[in-house]
Amino acid sequence: MLRAPKTLAAVMSNSPMSKDEVVDRLFAVFTDQGYDGATLAEISRATGLGKSSLYHHFPGGKEDMALAVLARADEWLRVNVIAAVNGPGTPRDRLMRMLDAFNTIYAGGKNACVLGKLVAGTARPLFQRQLREIFSRWIGALEKVAVDAGVPQRIARSRAEDAVAGIQGALILSAGLADSEPFRRRLRAIVDDLLAKAPKR
Amino acid sequence: MLRAPKTLAAVMSNSPMSKDEVVDRLFAVFTDQGYDGATLAEISRATGLGKSSLYHHFPGGKEDMALAVLARADEWLRVNVIAAVNGPGTPRDRLMRMLDAFNTIYAGGKNACVLGKLVAGTARPLFQRQLREIFSRWIGALEKVAVDAGVPQRIARSRAEDAVAGIQGALILSAGLADSEPFRRRLRAIVDDLLAKAPKR
DNA sequence: GTCTATAACGGGATAGAC
DNA sequence: GTCTATCCCGTTATAGAC
């Protein structure tokens, strides 16, 4: 998960929601509805903030909100992926920790990926730089683990790209088939795919 | 390509556009803008038809148009994939023909996939049945080729899913990185991935 | 910082003439 | 079948009180 959600008590006493919490809600909305599909009315409902309050926090409107969500996604990646890469354990151990994180944030294949949704939206040009940075960081982290495991750099790079693309595609496919199994199977296979000793792939 | 486009002369003499041609334009618009991002104004511009004419041909509005596009995608798949599977040549030959078709319709990684875009939109529930059928047909075709090449059924099925997901994900990744190389590399690798003799994968 | 109210616009969809 | 004109609603965004 991104952060601990507000307790029910906190919600019902309408205690002030921190900006972090607001961004978490935005993250969920954009993940679910995409950029073009997300309306201010729904965002208002999901955050409990009126439109004026939203524009107070995000003067640039939806675009600002999506940028905040992308920053959050980047932060999530640093905490859950980059940190795991530089952490203790064998390459396999480290990958397993990352996969746990992915399994959680994608809810076992029932959630979409906010990156994929923003890539698919008509506003993608607005976010191209951020998307490129995040995808590059993600690929770089996987590449590093494979290299640590003895995979040659060039092959590690290709496998890392395949791993990221495989996850994105599995999420699309699972959504299209209305069956989360393709995603779950992809996650199970990803460690061996990245670290395989075989010369090809 | 889907069909031969109208000649410039035909366009400029505003000769009547066939419904097939109209659907081709719709296909392009939904591929580019997605369902939520496609506006009737843009659809009207892309087809050269006024809104009333559009509603004459598609009484259900955007939803009807998207369904026509999905039917076209299914037809495309039957012609370019299913037919190739049942055609002559070695499994590898047949796969190469399919990949040519995919390379063309995705413009070497510069175009998106209309299926992925419709999966990502908020109207996905409306198209769930069609999406499921098309993805299943696509996977089934690839599975059959692998089986023909001697790959055990269960493994062939997994690889076919991976192939479809890999293409979808590579398109997302190429768009996110603004670099079509990941897609092109994925297409190059896909035949060996499907037909490999190795026990795993 | 949040609210109510509303502006300003674009969205999908329709009526009716031709 | 296509056009012009229009409706109605949802959308983004802002104003101004509190």
Side-chain angles (χ1 to χ4, degrees), chain A residues 39-40 51-52 55 62:
Chain A
T39 65
L40 285 190
K51 296 179 186 179
S52 291
Y55 275 91
K62 266 174 77 174

Side-chain angles (χ1 to χ4, degrees), chain B residues 6-17:
Chain B
K6 283 183 68 166
T7 63
L8 182 58
V11 170
M12 296 189 63
S13 68
N14 65 13
S15 69
M17 188 182 291

Side-chain angles (χ1 to χ4, degrees), chain B residues 3 15 18-19 30 35-36 40 49 51-52 56 103 106 120 125-126 138 143 152 171-172 189 193-194 196:
Chain B
R3 271 170 185 77
S15 69
S18 74
K19 184 138 184 179
F30 283 117
Y35 188 81
D36 297 315
L40 284 190
L49 294 176
K51 294 181 186 180
S52 290
H56 174 75
N103 191 49
Y106 295 136
L126 296 174
W138 185 357
E143 174 185 349
L171 289 169
I172 297 281
D193 284 359
L194 271 168

Side-chain angles (χ1 to χ4, degrees), chain B residues 11 15-17 20 64 71 73 90 93 123-124 143 150 171 178 182 186 196:
Chain B
V11 170
S15 69
M17 188 182 291
D20 271 350
D64 265 9
T90 66
D93 289 339
R124 185 183 69 207
E143 174 185 349
L171 289 169
R186 183 93 298 275

Side-chain angles (χ1 to χ4, degrees), chain B residues 36-190:
Chain B
D36 297 315
T39 66
L40 284 190
E42 171 61 20
I43 290 170
S44 178
R45 199 199 57 71
T47 57
L49 294 176
K51 294 181 186 180
S52 290
S53 300
L54 288 170
Y55 275 89
H56 174 75
H57 293 289
F58 306 98
K62 264 175 77 172
E63 180 179 341
D64 265 9
M65 299 180 207
L67 287 171
V69 166
L70 281 170
R72 171 63 49 86
D74 198 15
E75 181 198 342
W76 183 91
L77 204 73
R78 291 171 184 275
V79 170
N80 290 278
V81 176
I82 315 297
V85 165
N86 298 326
T90 66
R92 180 169 295 267
D93 289 339
R94 290 180 258 161
L95 279 179
M96 294 298 284
R97 279 202 299 279
M98 288 199 291
L99 294 184
D100 272 351
F102 284 129
N103 191 49
T104 299
I105 199 164
Y106 295 136
K110 285 191 282 293
N111 280 3
C113 176
V114 75
L115 302 176
K117 284 294 186 85
L118 291 177
V119 163
T122 58
R124 185 183 69 207
L126 296 174
F127 312 127
Q128 187 73 67
R129 191 171 50 80
Q130 287 81 0
L131 289 167
R132 183 196 259 277
E133 280 184 16
I134 295 173
F135 275 120
S136 294
R137 210 186 314 283
W138 185 357
I139 292 167
L142 294 178
E143 174 185 349
K144 182 172 185 306
V145 180
V147 167
D148 286 352
V151 177
Q153 185 98 29
R154 276 180 56 87
I155 295 177
R157 168 77 190 182
S158 294
R159 287 184 184 176
E161 283 182 8
D162 286 349
V164 172
I167 288 173
Q168 293 294 321
L171 289 169
I172 297 281
L173 188 59
S174 278
L177 292 174
D179 172 12
S180 60
E181 179 55 25
F183 171 78
R184 296 201 305 271
R185 197 175 53 70
R186 183 93 298 275
L187 270 205
R188 287 198 300 273
I190 213 164

